[in-house]
Amino acid sequence: MYGLADCNNFYASCERVFDPSLAERPIVVLSNNDGCVIARSNEAKELGIAMGVPYFRIRELVRRNDVAVFSSNFVLYGDMSRRVMNLLRRFAPAEVYSIDEAFLDFTGFDEETLRQQGLEIVRTVRRHTGIPLSLGIAPTKTLAKIASKLCKRYPKLGGCCFMHRPEQIEKVLRKFPIGDVWGIGHRWAALLETRNIRTAWDFTQLPQEWIRKRMGVVGLRMQRELKGEPCIGFEQMPADKKQIATTRTFARDTGDYEELHRCIAQYAAACAEKLRAQHGLCAEIAVFLLTNRHREEVPQSYESRLLKLSVPTDSTLELTAYAAQLLRQLCRKGFVYKRAGVILSDIRPKCGVQRDLFDAADRARHDRLMAAMDRLNAVYGRHKVATAAEGFEPFKMNRNHLSRKFTTDWAQIIRVKST
């Protein structure tokens, strides 16, 4: 048996933990630079606030309905996520799937008491962190995902849905929209719609030959998972990333090359740090620039450039230089840009990579320098040691609705006043 623990409206729930007055009040959380909505409470969803909508478009709606607005506080959310995941590991092996989701391995647990154990997990997480949890338990990961969605739809379940009997699973699948099944994207949902496949149960009845031809091995695996046959393994250690990206929306539109260069250098440095953390090397780097599509009066552009590296690297010095080279090719006069990013791909393990006989760089020296930089930044804080291209101060984002770092900064913890 597998479990899928999903924190309900996680970002909004984190804000509510430290301000009980927000209970039942609509909440939205904004992206970097307070650009667009990236999280909503149920009350905000009921007001019709869509995911990804620019904040300036809903200002009046927010004002009329007393919606609480927060800038994204990823330091707080990351720490609260760590606390939830550590609690889950007390009960069963956990595979962290995202900041607010984790799969649990209930192999060997007594099925007669599994629902009660699930309810205890939900109660424990709520009691220790204040975060509401939806826990779905089923024979496969895909079915566990569906079961966790049922928890949110039916509050009477108490936060835990144990879906294991064949007749129980069939009843659910006959009503569950195929587009909401884990792994079925918009493209496949549209394809299945042409075959009049509207529910998960309809999908399980399709011939395997048809699925193999149009959806490949991934589609067959999804069908078997829906039929109760586990096909997606359990990984306690997160797999290394195949692609690493750092992208940001600017606080204001800019066409200044020096400012763009500093941004791109910082993004490349952030990517390099993540790459070294997983002991990898990259052989491709890409840079993109995006104008503001909401400003129709200015020229529009979305361009990117990709560079294949002759020698894979994890050096901030090299990756920053490569990113700057691509930026020079992209940046055009007369354009003002709203968003930019650096993407590393073709990532492979650092150990066992064959070196180039004609590589002129002193790799051992680069490794020592990067290791020293990472150690200093880990001890004294990010950006304490940086390349000159990154500048002396990180760019400050527009975060006019930022809550405090309640759990990670002694100066910002909650103060209790006695009366």
Side-chain angles (χ1 to χ4, degrees), residues 1-22:
M1 288 290 173
Y2 292 97
L4 189 279
D6 184 4
C7 300
N8 300 342
N9 304 316
F10 181 59
Y11 292 174
S13 294
C14 288
E15 301 292 353
R16 277 177 170 159
V17 167
F18 301 97
D19 186 353
S21 70
L22 295 172

Side-chain angles (χ1 to χ4, degrees), residues 23-48:
E24 299 183 0
R25 183 180 171 189
I27 298 174
V28 296
V29 179
L30 305 177
S31 62
N32 292 326
N33 288 309
D34 293 346
C36 60
V37 174
I38 60 171
R40 307 156 296 164
S41 66
N42 289 335
E43 296 81 3
K45 294 174 186 177
E46 291 173 0
L47 291 174

Side-chain angles (χ1 to χ4, degrees), residues 182-367:
W182 183 37
I184 299 284
H186 293 297
R187 184 171 61 87
W188 277 350
L191 170 66
L192 294 169
E193 181 72 21
T194 64
R195 290 273 302 189
N196 202 32
I197 306 300
R198 292 186 169 84
T199 67
W201 177 257
D202 295 337
F203 184 69
T204 64
Q205 304 307 300
L206 280 173
Q208 290 187 356
E209 294 76 15
W210 188 92
I211 295 177
R212 182 185 294 109
K213 183 178 179 180
R214 291 163 178 81
M215 302 174 67
V217 176
V218 175
L220 286 174
R221 187 170 59 194
M222 281 190 284
Q223 186 189 53
R224 290 164 64 184
E225 283 260 326
L226 289 171
K227 289 182 175 181
E229 181 182 347
C231 298
I232 304 175
F234 190 85
E235 299 177 2
Q236 284 187 253
M237 294 299 293
D240 288 339
K241 295 179 179 179
K242 302 298 183 184
Q243 191 177 77
I244 295 174
T246 300
T247 67
R248 295 286 186 274
T249 299
F250 304 139
R252 57 180 177 80
D253 297 0
T254 180
D256 181 79
Y257 178 79
E258 294 302 323
E259 188 174 355
L260 291 170
H261 182 275
R262 190 154 76 95
C263 288
I264 290 297
Q266 290 188 4
Y267 303 165
C271 286
E273 185 177 344
K274 296 174 187 176
L275 182 62
R276 292 192 294 272
Q278 71 175 45
H279 306 291
L281 300 173
C282 77
E284 291 181 349
I285 180 171
V287 173
F288 74 82
L289 287 178
L290 173 67
T291 54
N292 190 342
R293 61 187 177 89
H294 299 294
R295 292 182 61 190
E296 298 179 356
E297 74 279 6
V298 300
Q300 296 295 313
S301 172
Y302 177 88
E303 293 190 69
S304 64
R305 293 288 186 276
L306 174 71
L307 178 65
K308 293 183 179 293
L309 310 182
S310 58
V311 180
T313 183
D314 64 357
S315 169
T316 296
L317 300 180
E318 290 186 304
L319 291 172
T320 300
Y322 290 138
Q325 176 184 331
L326 294 175
L327 176 64
R328 285 193 293 272
Q329 299 174 21
L330 285 172
C331 191
R332 293 194 286 166
K333 289 184 178 180
F335 286 81
V336 289
Y337 298 98
K338 184 63 176 176
R339 188 174 180 84
V342 174
I343 304 170
L344 306 183
S345 53
D346 193 4
I347 296 174
R348 69 271 310 261
K350 188 169 185 176
C351 58
V353 172
Q354 185 173 352
R355 296 296 186 184
D356 190 319
L357 180 64
F358 302 101
D359 182 14
D362 186 340
R363 295 294 160 189
R365 187 179 182 185
H366 271 280
D367 288 345

Side-chain angles (χ1 to χ4, degrees), residues 152-164:
K152 298 177 181 181
R153 192 177 301 173
Y154 303 108
K156 289 183 178 180
L157 290 172
C160 178
C161 176
F162 183 25
M163 190 172 72
H164 64 293

Side-chain angles (χ1 to χ4, degrees), residues 103-158:
F103 286 105
L104 302 177
D105 185 2
F106 290 119
T107 302
F109 282 60
D110 183 1
E111 292 188 11
E112 296 296 323
T113 61
L114 197 48
R115 172 167 162 74
Q116 292 305 315
Q117 289 176 303
L119 290 171
E120 179 60 24
I121 292 173
V122 173
R123 286 193 293 265
T124 300
V125 170
R126 185 62 181 264
R127 183 169 60 248
H128 287 232
T129 67
I131 301 296
L133 195 71
S134 293
L135 176 59
I137 305 174
T140 70
K141 282 185 171 181
T142 302
L143 290 174
K145 271 268 196 180
I146 292 174
S148 71
K149 291 178 182 292
L150 296 181
C151 293
K152 298 177 181 181
R153 192 177 301 173
Y154 303 108
K156 289 183 178 180
L157 290 172

